[in-house]
Amino acid sequence: MEHYRALGDERLRDAEPTIEFIRRINSVIDAMNGQVPWQGLQADPSSHHHKVLLDFLDYLKTMNDIAILKHESVGTGKRKKKNKPHVSFEDELTTASYLGLVVTVNTAISLVKYLSQDCGFKYLMTRRINQDSLEHFFGHIRGACGANNHPDPLMFINVYRLLMTYSLIKPPRGSNVTGSEMLQALLDLKDLEGDRYKENVEILHKKIDDYLDGDVVANELFEDMDHQDALMAPIDPYALTVFGGYISRKMRKVKPAKDCLTCSLEVCAADSTPFEDRETLLQMRSRGGLLRPSSKLYNLLTKLEESVLRVSAKCSLHASFLFTVLDDLLASKEDSVAMIGCEQHQRGLTTAIIAHYLNCRMHFVCAEADRAVQESHRRNRDLAKRARIN
């Protein structure tokens, strides 16, 4: 919000209180999600995270006092004053939320004090005591149910049994125990995918190879496609740069960039490269986890994103959506592709970047389509309910 407010968005002209509130909540979330020693909560009240939690308690008390004063001055329910209008305080902090936050923060502070004074702990990694693991588990359940984000009890039980069987058979990462070859074969996704999956993978890599080779046959097949009149949404260079920062970090961890210094340097911008205007949001969002994408990588991602937006504007989501994007990429290519990486590994690295970006992008496309379907189902349920009432 602060970034787009600085760009002159009039809708965010008075957003300073909201920005301050979000920063405060983000600080509390960071304090309650420490997962490495230097992020741990310490018993010293002058430490950063401890001070954040104490300030948040004072902030909650102030909000609660203001809400109480409003209710006393206006009156609600039986305490409603005569000739005073009834006012709804839906936007205020409810009593249940207030007590829950206070209990949670006070519990963390009391726990770190006890561990420090009685058990000799130097810090507490608060991520180990929150409910993220439980929420991740339910996220896995929902993800295994396809487009159904709200599985019924029967589907939940079936998916839960499958996950439990998988966890019992497959050994944990880093263990010195290897699974049975027979059971491992049963759990191997490639053995279960069948010929259809292998055929789709071959088509995907074939289309990427055609794009990198400058194949002109695809242009002949798509001569009738009009790429100028597509009602595509404009590309946000700031958001694409943030996405490019994730791609840069991801690609540096895999081969060939993992073993080749030249390829690793080609993926991200050099430290001596001056900052561009599109990198302002990246600097605000990154906490050391995102890298600055190189100009070559950014230009490649821009071409890929243009194809995704063109296809999204022309047709709805379907089974061959990814292949349609690659066909559009082939048909719209005007010049040779700028390879990324050293001469020996540039083809493999560029192919990996294209495949990884499109796979990530398809995840967002499917998520957006799923939200549209869920919203359509919600409207239909509301209309059916109103029809029964009438």
Side-chain angles (χ1 to χ4, degrees), residues 251-306:
M251 289 297 101
R252 290 189 67 176
K253 293 182 178 180
V254 299
K255 294 182 179 180
K258 181 180 179 180
D259 302 326
C260 179
L261 179 60
T262 303
C263 293
S264 178
L265 296 176
E266 284 263 336
V267 170
C268 60
D271 296 336
S272 58
T273 305
F275 282 90
E276 301 184 31
D277 179 66
R278 59 178 173 83
E279 297 179 351
T280 53
L281 183 60
L282 176 67
Q283 298 177 36
M284 298 173 65
R285 293 293 302 273
S286 177
R287 299 184 179 181
L290 301 177
L291 301 177
R292 295 174 56 199
S294 62
S295 58
K296 285 185 178 181
L297 177 60
Y298 178 79
N299 293 334
L300 177 60
L301 298 184
T302 301
K303 294 180 180 179
L304 298 176
E305 183 65 19
E306 288 175 351

Side-chain angles (χ1 to χ4, degrees), residues 305-370:
E305 183 65 19
E306 288 175 351
S307 293
V308 172
L309 294 178
R310 271 197 299 268
V311 174
S312 300
K314 286 180 176 290
C315 61
S316 59
L317 183 64
H318 55 276
S320 301
F321 189 88
L322 178 59
F323 297 149
T324 306
V325 171
L326 289 170
D327 291 336
D328 178 88
L329 191 65
L330 283 167
S332 60
K333 188 177 63 172
E334 300 177 354
D335 50 8
S336 60
V337 182
M339 296 285 189
I340 301 176
C342 65
E343 184 176 356
Q344 180 182 358
H345 302 126
Q346 59 183 4
R347 188 178 188 84
L349 180 58
T350 307
T351 301
I353 292 173
I354 295 175
H356 186 72
Y357 178 83
L358 291 180
N359 283 331
C360 292
R361 196 62 176 84
M362 291 304 102
H363 170 77
F364 295 121
V365 171
C366 293
E368 183 63 28
D370 181 56

Side-chain angles (χ1 to χ4, degrees), residues 47 89 133 148 229 300 340 368:
S47 61
F89 296 99
S133 299
N148 186 9
D229 298 332
L300 177 60
I340 301 176
E368 183 63 28

Side-chain angles (χ1 to χ4, degrees), residues 5 27 56 59 63 140 234 345 376 388:
R5 179 170 173 262
S27 300
F56 185 65
Y59 177 76
M63 288 185 62
H140 287 307
H345 302 126
S376 176
R388 288 194 299 266

Side-chain angles (χ1 to χ4, degrees), residues 40-65:
L41 179 64
Q42 300 179 10
D44 184 7
S46 62
S47 61
H48 175 68
H49 287 328
H50 198 124
K51 189 174 184 301
V52 166
L53 296 182
L54 293 178
D55 292 343
F56 185 65
L57 289 176
D58 295 338
Y59 177 76
L60 290 176
K61 186 177 183 305
T62 303
M63 288 185 62
N64 188 59
D65 292 342

Side-chain angles (χ1 to χ4, degrees), residues 104-116:
T104 301
V105 174
N106 277 326
T107 300
I109 294 176
S110 301
L111 182 59
V112 71
K113 287 181 178 179
Y114 166 75
L115 294 175
S116 176

